[in-house]
Amino acid sequence: MFKTLAGRALIPVGIAVTGFVVVCFLLLYSVIKNVVNRDTVGYATNLADTILKSTRYAMLKSDREMLTTIIGNIGQQKGVEHIRIFNKKGIVNISTRSDELDRQVDKKTEGCIGCHAGATPSASLGKMEQARIFTNGDGRDVLAITAPIYNEPECANAACHVHPPEQKVLGILDIGLSREMLLNSLASIRNQMIVFTIMILVLTVGGVTALLRRSVFLPLQRLRHLADQVEAGETPTAHPTHFPRELDRIAQSLYNLSQRIRPAGKEPATTEQGTVPKDV
């Protein structure tokens, strides 16, 4: 195929266009995936803030029953995998899963190491640093947010609490959300982009092929036929017309050459444009 002009022209163009479109597809999908993940983390962080504000009054009153009821109701919502609150020692005080109550959390896990990496635990984390992705025991992908519960003046001054003002963090709220809907959305976006990419490749390569065939390859075939006639000593049956500007000069030269080498006594061919004179 590379021996023909069409192959040498179309194959590199097809490869170049395909490579360019595939690279653009990968870059665009990567950007979309990052934006969707960032927005999902933002949504989960806002949900954690909402839970903290909803349970603030129950925490101030040290009403464990109300706090457990609020956490349980939120945990029943679709897409919520777990909600738990543990104190600064890492002991789970409240959880939507009864098997986690009063258990010690490993501070070396991914959700805790961000604050406990150094000798002194960090008191604050950015939104993206609060998030972690893992697969739970049920085999589902989970996006978890770890939000610190800060010691506010109302907490330190409450009669039912013993929290000195210098203690910045009272505990941690950990909420896990299922990533099933997110992964399904990304898969749908990816499939639609693949179909769109294939359409672009087909239309682009097909359009370039059709354009080159009409503007280059067909005129070259006619020019080759004209050259074969001249090489065989035949007089072209028609005056060359409708060639592109660059090829028209070659076609006219070949036609003129055929008239010069015309066998003696043979009249020139008559065309639609009239009779060609003997001396061109």
Side-chain angles (χ1 to χ4, degrees):
M1 184 176 291
F2 280 99
K3 294 181 179 180
T4 64
L5 180 61
R8 293 183 178 181
L10 293 178
I11 291 179
V13 171
I15 294 176
V17 172
T18 302
F20 176 77
V21 173
V22 170
V23 170
C24 290
F25 164 78
L26 295 176
L27 292 177
L28 181 59
Y29 178 74
S30 177
V31 171
I32 293 175
K33 184 178 180 180
N34 291 335
V35 171
V36 172
N37 286 330
R38 186 177 66 246
D39 291 344
T40 303
V41 172
Y43 165 77
T45 304
N46 292 335
L47 180 59
D49 293 339
T50 302
I51 294 175
L52 289 178
K53 292 178 181 179
S54 301
T55 57
R56 184 174 181 274
Y57 181 78
M59 290 182 182
L60 287 175
K61 296 299 182 181
S62 191
D63 192 338
R64 187 181 182 88
E65 182 178 357
M66 181 186 297
L67 184 59
T68 302
T69 302
I70 294 174
I71 295 298
N73 291 336
I74 298 175
Q76 294 177 0
Q77 301 297 315
K78 183 179 180 180
V80 178
E81 291 293 327
H82 71 263
I83 302 177
R84 59 190 179 187
I85 296 177
F86 47 90
N87 57 27
K88 72 170 189 174
K89 295 181 180 180
I91 299 176
V92 179
N93 292 332
I94 298 175
S95 176
T96 54
R97 296 185 176 184
S98 57
D99 58 329
E100 293 182 341
L101 292 174
D102 300 325
R103 289 180 57 182
Q104 180 77 36
V105 177
D106 186 5
K107 295 181 180 180
K108 295 182 180 180
T109 58
E110 186 178 356
C112 302
I113 195 64
C115 293
H116 294 274
T120 302
S122 176
S124 62
L125 288 175
K127 284 187 177 182
M128 300 304 295
E129 295 173 333
Q130 295 177 8
R132 68 187 190 279
I133 297 175
F134 63 95
T135 302
N136 62 10
D138 298 329
R140 291 192 290 267
D141 289 333
V142 176
L143 169 65
I145 296 294
T146 302
I149 303 174
Y150 294 107
N151 184 16
E152 300 179 359
E154 292 85 351
C155 299
N157 298 330
C160 58
H161 288 63
V162 185
H163 299 310
E166 59 271 13
Q167 183 179 343
K168 294 183 179 181
V169 178
L170 302 180
I172 297 294
L173 169 67
D174 185 63
I175 176 172
L177 303 177
S178 174
R179 298 182 72 235
E180 181 179 0
M181 293 183 62
L182 171 64
L183 295 178
N184 291 338
S185 297
L186 288 176
S188 177
I189 293 173
R190 182 178 63 251
N191 294 335
Q192 293 178 14
M193 290 182 63
I194 290 175
V195 173
F196 184 70
T197 301
I198 294 175
M199 291 176 58
I200 291 178
L201 286 176
V202 172
L203 293 176
T204 303
V205 176
V208 171
T209 301
L211 182 62
L212 289 177
R213 182 176 183 276
R214 179 179 180 275
S215 302
V216 179
F217 299 141
L218 289 181
L220 283 177
Q221 289 180 0
R222 294 170 54 208
L223 186 62
R224 179 180 178 180
H225 178 68
L226 179 62
D228 291 340
Q229 287 182 320
V230 174
E231 185 180 11
E234 301 176 2
T235 302
T237 57
H239 194 281
T241 57
H242 305 296
F243 278 93
R245 184 172 181 179
E246 292 78 3
L247 298 181
D248 182 68
R249 182 69 184 88
I250 301 176
Q252 293 294 337
S253 298
L254 288 174
Y255 183 79
N256 294 339
L257 180 62
S258 69
Q259 301 305 306
R260 290 193 179 96
I261 63 176
R262 184 179 64 252
K266 186 177 181 180
E267 294 297 328
T270 302
T271 65
E272 297 177 356
Q273 297 182 2
T275 303
V276 180
K278 295 182 180 180
D279 296 327
V280 180

